[in-house]
Amino acid sequence: MASILNQTQELQEASKVLGHVRCENFFIFPGENTLSDGLRGVLYFLGLAYCFIGLSAITARFFKSMENVVKHSRKVVAVDPITKAEVITYKKVWNFTIADISLLAFGTSFPQISLATIDAIRNIGERYAGGLGPGTLVGSAAFDLFPIHAVCVVVPKAGELKKISDLGVWLVELVWSFWAYIWLYIILEVWSPNVITLVEALLTVLQYGLLLVHAYAQDKRWPYLSLPMSRGDRPEEWVPEEIDTSKDENDNDVHDVYSDAAQEAVESGSRNIVDIFSIHSANNNTGITYHTVADTPPDSATKKGKAKNSTVFGIWKHQFVDAITLETSESKKVDSIYLRIAKSFWQLLLAPWKLLFAFVPPCNIAHGWIAFICSLLFISGVAFVVTRLTDLISCVTGINPYVIAFTALAGGTSWPDLVASKIAAERQLTADSAIANITCSNSVNIYVGIGVPWLINTVYNYFAYREPLYIENAKGLSFSLLIFFATSVGCIVVLVLRRLIIGAELGGPRLWAWLTSAYFMMLWVVFVVLSSLKVSGII
């Protein structure tokens, strides 16, 4: 069965011959076809924007669950050889560098990854790959590199400097990010032009594993596998403490350091996104926390277990109450009646999404893993609706799907990246995670976001047809890669110059920060305009 994307392209081809062909596809009701194409286009665009609001809402819950996953520690019991006393230590399960590249980068890129995967599944059986996935991921890479850098560079206070403390890890991530797009160009234009083979798709996915190994080796300074660069002065606490997390009354085999923080965030409802970058705030650089643990009577432990269960259900109940609450305690403190009305209207827009996502279990259950998985499922569902709306917009307006992918889809699905990096630039004492999130997300976009969908299609085509996967408009995609590579070099050069002249990648004198931000936005406009003109056949 032909995919909706191919149907759209056939209608566009027919329109060139007949002058105008009405789009017969619909979203929910067949009666949509009675509306004019212009009105349908506006309605579908509004629906797409509303889906992006939903993606932001569920991504906030995803971040909360991810924080609990990363904060997961394991208990280690040892006996002091001198005092013979029992010493309890809690060691971090996750390495922070691996957490940045895997959970953080994967989480912020999951809207794009799920969209590309859904596009690939819809096209199973087709000899040509879908265009929404690759176009969105390349456009998302440009959005990550240029507009997000433009925001982060002006976020620090006037005169405040924030630099990368571990240049070695950042250089490894940067090299793998650049190589990802060079590799994509090679397999599209050099190795096997216009087609993707099973071997190429498999090698693309496997390189993500190599990135993880290399970054971990650099973090641990393994000989022969790491750059000979010393680690910069990293503060003991990368993020200023906002809450006291040292009060630990439970002596479980597995310890969630920040479960109280997650509960407080859910109960207050005042923070849309828990500061996921507080994964770097540790009391020491070893990732080990020492605790004095008293003996707990069995009946006391049972009471604590019951209290914990009641607390979990209370938090879950509060999620539903918060979803239908239009005026929060913060909005009631606002003096202006117009601002209060605006806030209430925004809460009204969010209410359907918040009510739907309230079914995601609280983040402190099973160290956040259940909420983590459920959030991914909801993100996939919203991404499916986004793909349907995008096809319909292309069908009724005649806009090339790649152009929509480069612009609307890339910006909408990259919103979590923007929010995450902005939080890091505001609250972290260094620029490591703000910039690492950008470079790592770009690598994940290629190795996972494009690699996995292409692997799905190439495996099917290999066994079904004994043929590779054909890439429609590969020339346009390759041209976009070249433009992205050229503009990204200009972006990185400016970051290096800022480090050499000002002393930091982010912040600094206000004038220079704003000039840098304007330059990054100009690079993004150049990429979008040239790429859109190429895929549309104008240049």
Side-chain angles (χ1 to χ4, degrees):
M1 183 178 65
S3 67
I4 297 176
L5 180 60
N6 289 336
Q7 294 175 16
T8 301
Q9 292 169 343
E10 290 172 2
L11 288 171
Q12 292 173 355
E13 291 296 326
S15 65
K16 297 177 181 178
V17 179
L18 303 177
H20 176 74
V21 173
R22 186 171 183 81
C23 179
E24 297 298 332
N25 297 324
F26 57 89
F27 182 57
I28 300 177
F29 306 110
E32 297 171 18
N33 297 331
T34 61
L35 302 176
S36 65
D37 285 346
L39 180 58
R40 292 177 65 190
V42 171
L43 293 176
Y44 294 149
F45 266 115
L46 291 176
L48 188 64
Y50 193 61
C51 285
F52 291 152
I53 295 176
L55 278 177
S56 298
I58 186 58
T59 303
R61 196 169 295 277
F62 176 87
F63 284 158
K64 294 175 186 177
S65 65
M66 186 171 63
E67 183 192 46
N68 270 27
V69 171
V70 177
K71 290 299 182 183
H72 184 196
S73 300
R74 60 186 178 88
K75 186 178 76 172
V76 178
V77 182
V79 177
D80 190 293
I82 299 177
T83 63
K84 305 300 181 181
E86 190 179 75
V87 179
I88 306 295
T89 61
Y90 290 100
K91 295 184 178 181
K92 297 290 184 183
V93 173
W94 283 89
N95 173 271
F96 290 151
T97 297
I98 298 299
D100 276 342
I101 300 176
S102 55
L103 291 180
L104 179 56
F106 183 80
T108 55
S109 298
F110 194 76
Q112 302 97 297
I113 294 172
S114 58
L115 188 148
T117 304
I118 291 171
D119 191 41
I121 294 174
R122 292 189 316 166
N123 281 276
I124 285 182
E126 301 289 332
R127 288 176 169 82
Y128 282 88
L132 290 181
T136 302
L137 289 163
V138 174
S140 175
F143 189 91
D144 287 350
L145 194 62
F146 305 129
I148 295 182
H149 267 126
V151 171
C152 290
V153 77
V154 297
V155 161
K157 298 177 182 178
E160 185 180 9
L161 297 175
K162 294 190 177 185
K163 64 180 181 179
I164 299 173
S165 65
D166 196 338
L167 282 173
V169 172
W170 178 69
L171 286 175
V172 168
E173 295 167 348
L174 182 65
V175 168
W176 278 98
S177 176
F178 271 96
W179 167 248
Y181 293 91
I182 295 174
W183 166 255
L184 191 58
Y185 183 84
I186 290 174
I187 63 178
L188 282 174
E189 293 292 332
V190 180
W191 192 343
S192 56
N194 303 327
V195 300
I196 300 297
T197 64
L198 177 59
V199 174
E200 291 170 343
L202 186 60
L203 288 176
T204 302
V205 176
L206 291 178
Q207 287 182 72
Y208 179 63
L210 295 178
L211 164 62
L212 291 174
V213 173
H214 194 185
Y216 184 78
Q218 180 64 40
D219 182 69
K220 295 299 183 181
R221 298 303 192 269
W222 288 355
Y224 307 111
L225 293 179
S226 61
L227 298 174
M229 300 180 65
S230 59
R231 196 188 306 272
D233 295 331
R234 178 185 297 176
E236 289 187 358
E237 295 183 358
W238 282 29
V239 178
E241 294 291 343
E242 291 187 333
I243 54 177
D244 183 14
T245 59
S246 62
K247 296 179 180 180
D248 175 43
E249 298 179 354
N250 297 327
D251 184 22
N252 301 323
D253 289 339
V254 180
H255 179 67
D256 284 321
V257 182
Y258 284 81
S259 59
D260 292 337
Q263 291 180 21
E264 179 180 332
V266 175
E267 290 175 345
S268 65
S270 61
R271 293 174 63 188
N272 288 330
I273 297 180
V274 171
D275 182 11
I276 58 174
F277 295 95
S278 62
I279 62 174
H280 295 295
S281 62
N283 293 329
N284 51 64
N285 292 331
T286 61
I288 302 175
T289 307
Y290 294 87
H291 295 266
T292 302
V293 182
D295 292 335
T296 304
D299 55 344
S300 177
T302 303
K303 292 180 181 178
K304 289 179 180 179
K306 293 181 180 179
K308 184 177 180 180
N309 290 334
S310 62
T311 302
V312 168
F313 286 109
I315 295 173
W316 205 341
K317 176 184 176 182
H318 193 278
Q319 292 180 181
F320 288 93
V321 174
D322 179 66
I324 59 177
T325 301
L326 298 182
E327 193 173 21
T328 63
S329 57
E330 285 190 354
S331 63
K332 292 179 180 178
K333 299 177 183 178
V334 178
D335 295 331
S336 174
I337 184 64
Y338 301 106
L339 287 179
R340 290 183 62 178
I341 293 175
K343 286 179 176 290
S344 297
F345 178 73
W346 178 250
Q347 292 297 324
L348 182 63
L349 284 179
L350 286 176
W353 290 119
K354 293 173 67 175
L355 187 61
L356 177 63
F357 301 148
F359 287 96
V360 176
C363 302
N364 59 330
I365 299 178
H367 318 297
W369 279 109
I370 297 179
F372 184 89
I373 296 172
C374 290
S375 299
L376 293 183
L377 294 177
F378 275 110
I379 290 175
S380 299
V382 178
F384 175 76
V385 177
V386 167
T387 58
R388 292 276 295 131
L389 289 172
T390 304
D391 289 335
L392 289 170
I393 290 172
S394 179
C395 182
V396 300
T397 63
I399 300 176
N400 190 296
Y402 275 101
V403 176
I404 300 176
F406 284 143
T407 54
L409 284 183
T413 56
S414 295
W415 188 256
D417 290 308
L418 174 62
V419 174
S421 291
K422 179 179 178 293
I423 290 174
E426 283 177 335
R427 296 205 57 239
Q428 274 208 297
L429 303 179
T430 69
D432 289 73
S433 282
I435 296 180
N437 177 52
I438 297 171
T439 53
C440 293
S441 293
N442 285 351
S443 298
V444 171
N445 282 346
I446 297 300
Y447 298 133
V448 180
I450 292 182
V452 170
W454 279 356
L455 183 62
I456 293 172
N457 288 142
T458 53
V459 168
Y460 183 90
N461 284 12
Y462 178 79
F463 288 103
Y465 310 123
R466 295 294 176 179
E467 290 183 1
L469 179 67
Y470 296 94
I471 305 299
E472 193 165 7
N473 204 353
K475 294 293 183 182
L477 186 59
S478 300
F479 178 82
S480 299
L481 290 172
L482 290 177
I483 296 299
F484 172 76
F485 189 81
T487 50
S488 61
V489 169
C491 175
I492 299 303
V493 167
V494 169
L495 288 178
V496 172
L497 289 176
R498 284 180 56 87
R499 178 64 177 256
L500 295 176
I501 299 174
I502 301 178
E505 290 80 11
L506 305 181
R510 217 62 186 152
L511 175 62
W512 290 108
W514 280 107
L515 287 176
T516 305
S517 177
Y519 172 73
F520 289 157
M521 290 303 298
M522 182 196 69
L523 292 177
W524 182 64
V525 172
V526 169
F527 167 81
V528 170
V529 170
L530 292 180
S531 298
S532 299
L533 292 176
K534 180 64 176 180
V535 297
S536 299
I538 299 176
I539 60 174

